[in-house]
Amino acid sequence: MAKQYTIGELINLSAGYLQEKGCSSPRLDAELLLGHVLGLERLDLYLNFDKPLNADEVAAYRTLIGRRGQRIPVAYLTGQREFYSLPLQVSEGVLIPRPETEFVVDKVLELLEPGIPTEILELGTGSGAIALALACQDPGFRVTAVDVSPAALAVARANAERLEVQNQITFVESDLFQKISGTYKVICSNPPYIKKSELSALAPEVAAEPALALDGGVDGLDFYRRIFNQAASFLEQPGFVVLEIGWDQAGDVRRLGEEAGFTWLETVKDYGGHDRVVAFKWE
Ligand code: GLN
């Protein structure tokens, strides 16, 4: 008879395998993937550490661990990622939401008065993370969420429906402002900001994400230039621009905003102490 593996044995074996493959959080990944196969929370795995698994469960898990060993991100394997405490669905056509992007949401919330009708424009919504987090925070917010990728918009729309905020969000297929009209209290974005020359050196997990969501051009600043070129005509007065940036881009992005006539308000650091979000006012 084939050996019956317990939950604990499988996690230990898989974590070792993923470590050999260069994954940076092998044990966490092994647990998340087993939880996904069994429909259990990570805590439940520990409460059932000695439970043997059946052959089907082991086979499904082996397949996922094999793919993770090829450095496919966990979120693409489980199809899910949490953002701002919301369970979002993700697929290979969208950037996986990052915890540091929550600082964009926090900053926007800080700039706005709660409970009053407010128009927000999000450029490059991807899975919808920022737009959805904002809509879920305040029923007064109306968000226009833009992306150039129809695949991303399909994911974002499905997320909005699952979270039941589709009535607060308008999705538009557009290259930044191309198909946008009207004015907004806030324009926010996590645009692609990685330098073209650095794309080839990304970790395999990031390289598995859409280049469209990462490639910021030669100096990584293309999208900031394009946003500041046009943002003023889409803003109420006063209005705000809140942008995620790469850790070394705060000075450049501040300068671009100021050159375009915006007042710099603040640069916010992320959990790692890196500059991550820049906020501007238009008045
Ligand atoms: N935060 C992503 C990374 O560093 C980049 C996302 C982006 O370009 N907006 O991998």
Side-chain angles (χ1 to χ4, degrees):
M1 199 178 113
K3 172 170 166 48
Q4 274 207 318
Y5 286 100
T6 66
I7 285 181
E9 286 170 334
L10 275 178
I11 290 175
N12 288 334
L13 275 172
S14 306
Y17 174 76
L18 294 182
Q19 180 153 31
E20 275 169 36
K21 293 288 173 186
C23 296
S24 61
S25 50
R27 195 171 180 91
L28 173 65
D29 294 359
E31 291 172 7
L32 288 170
L33 292 172
L34 189 55
H36 178 68
V37 167
L38 302 177
L40 294 176
E41 298 293 326
R42 278 172 64 214
L43 177 64
D44 296 321
L45 296 175
Y46 280 86
L47 297 174
N48 293 286
F49 221 59
D50 298 322
K51 187 175 170 226
L53 297 185
N54 69 39
D56 287 347
E57 291 167 332
V58 174
Y61 187 51
R62 260 190 217 285
T63 304
L64 285 181
I65 290 293
R67 297 183 69 205
R68 181 68 192 108
Q70 294 162 7
R71 306 293 296 275
I72 298 169
V74 173
Y76 287 157
L77 297 173
T78 62
Q80 296 175 20
R81 176 66 163 241
E82 191 175 283
F83 180 82
Y84 223 82
S85 302
L86 302 171
L88 298 187
Q89 285 185 358
V90 295
S91 68
E92 306 215 357
V94 296
L95 188 82
I96 298 166
R98 313 280 204 267
E100 54 267 29
T101 302
E102 295 179 353
F103 288 93
V104 174
V105 178
D106 283 339
K107 191 69 217 168
V108 172
L109 291 173
E110 210 182 292
L111 291 168
L112 294 178
E113 265 182 75
I116 55 170
T118 305
E119 294 288 337
I120 300 172
L121 176 64
E122 195 214 346
L123 300 171
T125 195
S127 64
I130 295 174
L132 292 161
L134 289 169
C136 288
Q137 282 298 306
D138 194 316
F141 293 169
R142 295 253 337 127
V143 189
T144 300
V146 168
D147 208 287
V148 72
S149 154
L153 285 173
V155 172
R157 258 194 205 103
N159 278 322
E161 276 163 28
R162 286 179 49 256
L163 297 169
E164 299 183 353
V165 287
Q166 71 272 28
N167 296 337
Q168 280 171 263
I169 307 186
T170 306
F171 293 100
V172 184
E173 186 182 328
S174 170
D175 183 8
L176 298 185
F177 298 101
Q178 189 190 33
K179 302 269 172 59
I180 298 304
S181 57
T183 55
Y184 301 84
K185 189 76 189 167
V186 176
I187 296 173
C188 55
S189 182
N190 171 21
Y193 55 66
I194 299 187
K195 292 191 188 79
K196 225 182 223 329
S197 60
E198 289 174 4
L199 286 173
S200 57
L202 293 173
E205 283 83 356
V206 186
E209 296 184 271
L212 201 59
L214 299 169
D215 184 350
V218 172
D219 64 359
L221 300 170
D222 279 6
F223 285 85
Y224 303 105
R225 282 193 199 89
R226 292 181 58 197
I227 289 170
F228 284 125
N229 259 333
Q230 288 191 272
S233 39
F234 295 92
L235 280 169
E236 297 171 16
Q237 281 179 299
F240 302 96
V241 175
V242 178
L243 303 171
E244 180 169 329
I245 57 162
W247 64 274
D248 58 351
Q249 293 173 326
D252 286 327
V253 173
R254 176 175 177 174
R255 179 179 49 79
L256 289 171
E258 289 179 337
E259 282 171 5
F262 292 80
T263 307
W264 172 84
L265 291 177
E266 193 186 352
T267 297
V268 183
K269 290 190 190 300
D270 65 17
Y271 302 109
H274 298 296
D275 290 336
R276 187 59 65 192
V277 172
V278 196
F280 299 85
K281 190 171 187 181
W282 179 252
E283 51 194 344

